[in-house]
Every structure is written in C-alpha cells, then in structure tokens.
Amino acid sequence: MQDQLFAEEAGDPRLSGSCIAGHQDIAPADRERELSAVLQVPELANPDFEACHLEFQQTGSRFATPVLKLTGDAVRLSGNGTLNLDTSGLDYQMTLALAPKLFAKVTRPELRGGFAQRGDGFASIDFRLYGTTLEPKTDLMTRIGKAAATEAVKQGLERLLKRKVF
C-alpha cells in the first residue's frame, strides 16, 4: 500500500492525502446482491477489485474524496463526494462500469438501456450514494428500473406502430 498524508500545520484539523492499495476484498452488501439478482449477473454480488485509489481532504468534520476508484478486470466503481464525520452522512456521485464480457451477461434488453457505452468498452451507469455509513443507500436500482420501464414503453410503441403501419 502506498499512502501520503499532509497536515496543514500542527493542531489544525485540516488533512489531505491519497492512498493506493492492491487487491481489495469487499464484503457483499444487500445492494450488491440485489443488483446481481436483478441483472442476473452473479459476479456483481461479490466484485473483485485489484486496486483502490483514494484522494481525500478533511476540514473539520467534512471528509471530501474528490477521487475514489475501485478497479477490477470486470467491474469498476468510481466517484467523488463527501462524508460528514459528525453525522456519518454520505453524499457521493458514483459510476458503476462493467467490462464487455460481464455486460454481455445482462441479457434482458430493457435492463441494458440504463447503461452507456464508454470509449474503453465498458458499459456504465451513474448513481447517487447517500444515507449514512451505517445505512448507505443508492438510487441505482431506481435508475435501472426507470431505464427498463422506458425501454419497455419504447418496445411496446414500436410493436404497436408496426402493426398499424404495415
């Protein structure tokens, strides 16, 4: 593990630094198991991350992470945000990216619609992480659900128009 910490001056509650770590085993949470079940991709229940890169700045009770990256061959999680150390409140903008082989396992077209293709071949979806450290929440399932509903409506309209036109 490589890390750096910088204090502005002795006794000052400001701190900044970065951390880069190797292989990370992260215990699966209910959200990962739920996402895995909905997308029907078992690998998402317990993703394997080879590296972690974190940059942070602390001022008082505000712990900001302008760079947060967990990377693996199949799954990448990145984002930025803040943690309130007094309230344990989370406020992060995150991106989940799936490698082409893993994304190919998402076979239902309506679920694939929420993901955008990136230049590196990964398919990604943005989401928000909020709540507290003890009860984190995301809007990831809501975003996937909205994309699925939109795709289902589009498909229904296309079928309806094809019947009436032809």
Side-chain angles (χ1 to χ4, degrees), residues 106-143:
V106 180
T107 57
R108 295 180 53 199
E110 65 272 15
L111 296 177
R112 296 171 66 89
F115 289 81
Q117 289 297 319
R118 300 188 333 186
D120 62 1
F122 278 67
S124 66
I125 186 167
D126 295 331
F127 66 98
R128 184 168 174 246
L129 171 64
Y130 60 99
T132 66
T133 55
L134 292 177
E135 293 185 38
K137 299 174 180 162
T138 74
D139 66 351
L140 184 56
M141 296 305 293
T142 301
R143 289 181 187 221

Side-chain angles (χ1 to χ4, degrees), residues 1 42 48 82 86 92 102 106 125 137:
M1 180 190 324
D48 188 26
T82 60
D86 288 337
Y92 281 82
L102 191 59
V106 180
I125 186 167
K137 299 174 180 162

Side-chain angles (χ1 to χ4, degrees), residues 9-29:
E9 56 185 69
D12 190 342
R14 289 181 286 178
L15 193 63
S16 66
S18 64
C19 175
I20 300 173
H23 184 84
Q24 300 296 308
D25 285 324
I26 297 176

